Amino acid sequence: MDVTICSYCRLTNDKVVVNGMEIPIQKTEGPWLNDIYRSLKISYPKFFKMDNLSKAGFLASELLLKDEIIDKENPKKDISIVLMNRSASLDDDRMYQETIEDKNNYYPSPAVFVYTLPNIVNGEIAIRNKIMGETSFYISEAFSAEKIYNVAMDAFSDESISQVVCGWTDYELNKCDVLLLWIRKENQNGIPFNINNIYHLHI
Amino acid sequence: MIYQLSDNIISSLGFTSEENYAAVKEGVSGLKYYETAFDLPEGLMASCINDEALEDAFFSIKTKSKVLYTRFEKAAIVSAYRALEKTNINPAGDNVLFILSTTKGNVELLDRNKSKQYESERVYLWRSAQLISSFFGNPTEAVVVSNACISGAAAQITAMRLLKHSAYDFAVVIGADMLSKFVISGFQSFKSLSTEICKPFDKNRCGLNLGEAAATLIYGKSENENLIPEKSVMLLAGAIANDANHISGPSRTGAGLCIAIEKTIQHTNIQDIAFINAHGTATPYNDDMESMAITDTGLQALAVNSLKGFFGHTLGAAGVVETIISGKALSDNTILQCKGLEIQETVCPLNVLMKNESSNKTHFLKLLSGFGGCNAALLLRKK
Amino acid sequence: MEALILELKKEIIEVLNLEEIKPEDIDENAPLFGEGLGLDSIDALELIVLMEKNYGIKLNNASEGRDIFKSVRVMAEYIEKNRTK
């Protein structure tokens, strides 16, 4: 089966690149992910409630799907979101642990706890774009183009799925490492979806 | 054909699937009230694995491994070991793949008081998976699925897909999650726990109970149904769909669950389905949502149950535990009661069972939903 | 009372991460939930934590909160009557 990468987005600690073009970001002293949000001129106040992993995945998906999913309202049953990372939700897990660690200052935070699952980032992207296909999350010790390829191709075993948002979304200890790909069944304009190309887009 | 070769459940109700099934069939619940537990300010109704029994079970396994395993890893290893020992599969073979389903793994090690004996990498799920699969000498990197409360179903769907088109002959699917101050305090902050035994699909349901479990299902494949052992349960289909509604749970209307169910049962005669083993967490919203999805897909006449009144919600283990117990019931021509239910009331009326019944139908449907808005359905059939 | 209302607005903005809203944007008489600020069920739970952490008021469930979180003013009045810190 031929599958094509129709667009891709690479988001790291100092750069945002979409389809090979670096996106200029106005830097402030505030958090980098918030700077990206403001530079994109999106109005989505829920963004500020997200943990870092969801923020990073959300921003990459906005850039990735900007010209692909214009209609945000109608349910889309033919799209799946299949993601992978190294640290699951540990960045947010550590923040939540702080709210319960001290017996004399024990106030477990529901708003932090709700992000202590890696697949919440799939959920955020799904909500934003009304994507109602499969959402799955896998964990791997290190970035693996091969594994990303395999789980994304498996998402097409559901015959009603024609497009998949897939890739690597990791955020831990202030290190952001995201590569999101928008892939389509069939041979179309774009880069062939294969292990070698995924590997090179991550470099 | 993807079929089950062996299974095991480690829970408060026992350390084999057979013990667990026998207890459930008798109507025994593993839930217990803990006045003080996990250093928490509030009491807790939960289903916990007995520590001593787990230690004994672990030390009875002969191993050369010098690794100091965590409680989570020990439970997973004991469960996989016991499932494997009933087969003649060589877990060190390169035709065997381990798949781990968990939501929080060793998360309790984030607590400074608990982490001292372990290296910092032990909080990573892939690290636990490595240690578990290498305990059995397996040469292949384990797959780790972490998809909130539907993880156990997602892992079985992953197993089904991988077996169908890869060189692996067997998939050892382990679902495990332990309780910790981390997990319990979070659910308490959501105000979603009941301090009594939960009441799935009940008029007065007021929240869920948490539970811990490690469970293993070993799947194999065969081109020819005649070669599949008698009484074996086959995994026919499975699907996942998102609600795109809110991260804290599925939609109120069951839209995503409907899609998952429709995809799963599309080639099936509804008359063949003995029962639906629902997620049935006993939160007001979940059970109403499921009643809507079951009705919207035209399955409202089927018998429904939930196993949460026996095991609590075992998170990443739930999909595996509940698939095993439901499979045993199917093979035993039994539909299990929904423990905890007294007065049935959901938005759409359902046929939830208050007593065990017998049925010789051949299929059952397993449902799960979870945070992130994900929903899963599995369809299984006995040979 | 007015000082408590302002304090509360600042706290709500902080704990609910209402990054782009200023205290003067919140009408203390307007409903907190349902419209305007776009708050959801997790926000309501977080406000329950705020009540306990900052004012020593323990609410047992979300439905108790429903009446108290009607508006910032209702919240402030309730806090004034029931606070233990």
Side-chain angles (χ1 to χ4, degrees), chain A residues 46 77 80 85-90 92-94 96-98 100-103 106 108-111 113-124 126-142 147 150-151 153-158 160-161 172-173, chain B residues 39-42 103-104 107-108 110-113 120-121 123-126 130 141-150 154 157-158 161-162 165 181-190 239-248 255-256 259 262-263 370-375:
Chain A
K46 268 197 244 169
K77 299 182 184 176
S80 287
N85 81 3
R86 168 183 162 85
S87 63
S89 56
L90 268 174
D92 190 70
D93 292 358
R94 291 195 180 95
Y96 178 73
Q97 180 65 28
E98 275 175 35
I100 60 167
E101 183 99 5
D102 179 359
K103 237 185 169 164
Y106 173 84
S109 165
F113 185 71
V114 76
Y115 285 97
T116 61
L117 293 163
N119 66 306
I120 299 297
V121 60
N122 304 60
E124 291 287 13
I127 292 165
R128 169 65 164 168
N129 298 288
K130 249 330 197 194
I131 291 172
M132 298 184 80
E134 172 174 333
T135 49
S136 293
F137 207 102
Y138 296 87
I139 310 295
S140 164
E141 179 180 1
K147 285 188 213 164
N150 288 337
V151 293
M153 290 301 279
D154 269 352
F156 290 116
S157 65
D158 177 338
S160 58
I161 299 301
E172 196 200 2
L173 305 171
Chain B
D39 189 31
L40 288 159
E42 297 164 56
T103 63
K104 297 313 304 169
V107 75
E108 67 170 353
L110 289 179
D111 189 325
R112 261 167 264 148
N113 301 317
S120 60
E121 279 193 338
V123 293
Y124 294 87
L125 302 180
W126 52 263
Q130 267 175 4
E141 197 179 337
V143 173
V144 183
V145 180
S146 192
N147 227 5
C149 306
I150 71 160
I157 292 171
T158 300
R161 289 174 180 170
L162 284 169
H165 66 66
K181 187 178 181 181
F182 185 104
V183 169
I184 301 162
S185 65
F187 277 92
Q188 284 175 338
S189 81
F190 283 166
I240 297 171
N242 202 289
D243 280 313
N245 174 64
H246 192 278
I247 52 165
S248 70
I259 299 172
E262 277 163 5
K263 284 182 180 176
F371 287 146
C374 48
N375 304 273

Side-chain angles (χ1 to χ4, degrees), chain B residues 71-324:
Chain B
R71 190 162 177 269
F72 163 73
E73 290 153 4
K74 281 177 188 167
I77 288 169
V78 171
S79 179
Y81 183 87
R82 292 191 169 197
L84 281 160
E85 83 182 338
K86 293 193 276 181
T87 70
N88 47 21
I89 297 169
N90 171 17
D94 60 6
N95 62 339
V96 180
L97 179 70
F98 279 70
I99 301 176
L100 178 65
S101 152
T102 184
T103 63
K104 297 313 304 169
N106 284 326
V107 75
E108 67 170 353
L109 299 184
L110 289 179
D111 189 325
R112 261 167 264 148
N113 301 317
K114 302 218 161 162
S115 58
K116 288 174 192 128
Q117 296 162 285
Y118 300 97
E119 77 277 16
S120 60
E121 279 193 338
R122 286 300 267 284
V123 293
Y124 294 87
L125 302 180
W126 52 263
R127 183 60 186 147
S128 283
Q130 267 175 4
L131 291 171
I132 294 163
S133 59
S134 58
F135 182 92
F136 297 96
N138 188 268
T140 310
E141 197 179 337
V143 173
V144 183
V145 180
S146 192
N147 227 5
C149 306
I150 71 160
S151 299
Q156 292 178 64
I157 292 171
T158 300
M160 179 168 66
R161 289 174 180 170
L162 284 169
L163 287 174
K164 272 186 185 161
H165 66 66
S166 72
Y168 300 110
D169 292 318
F170 305 106
V172 180
V173 179
I174 309 170
D177 260 312
M178 298 295 115
L179 291 180
S180 59
K181 187 178 181 181
F182 185 104
V183 169
I184 301 162
S185 65
F187 277 92
Q188 284 175 338
S189 81
F190 283 166
K191 310 280 178 202
S192 55
L193 296 187
S194 165
T195 49
E196 289 167 35
I197 290 189
C198 65
K199 299 168 183 286
F201 302 103
D202 196 279
K203 185 181 176 198
N204 300 312
R205 65 187 184 274
C206 60
L208 56 89
N209 305 135
L210 291 170
E212 40 186 23
T216 304
L217 262 172
I218 302 178
Y219 279 105
K221 60 181 170 188
S222 175
E223 297 288 320
N224 184 348
E225 195 180 324
N226 295 326
L227 299 176
I228 295 174
E230 286 309 313
K231 279 211 161 186
S232 186
V233 174
M234 293 170 279
L235 178 56
L236 300 183
I240 297 171
N242 202 289
D243 280 313
N245 174 64
H246 192 278
I247 52 165
S248 70
S251 81
R252 299 276 157 90
T253 58
L257 187 57
C258 272
I259 299 172
I261 294 173
E262 277 163 5
K263 284 182 180 176
T264 304
I265 62 169
Q266 57 184 337
H267 304 299
T268 308
N269 183 352
I270 292 172
Q271 305 308 320
D272 291 333
I273 301 176
F275 61 91
I276 300 172
N277 175 233
H279 193 33
T281 58
T283 63
Y285 293 124
N286 176 80
D287 297 3
D288 272 343
M289 178 285 285
E290 284 189 291
S291 78
M292 283 187 248
I294 289 167
T295 304
D296 288 349
T297 46
L299 304 180
Q300 67 275 17
L302 295 179
V304 173
N305 65 18
S306 154
L307 296 171
K308 299 295 190 290
F310 296 104
F311 298 99
H313 188 347
T314 54
L315 306 173
V320 184
V321 171
E322 294 168 10
T323 301
I324 295 171

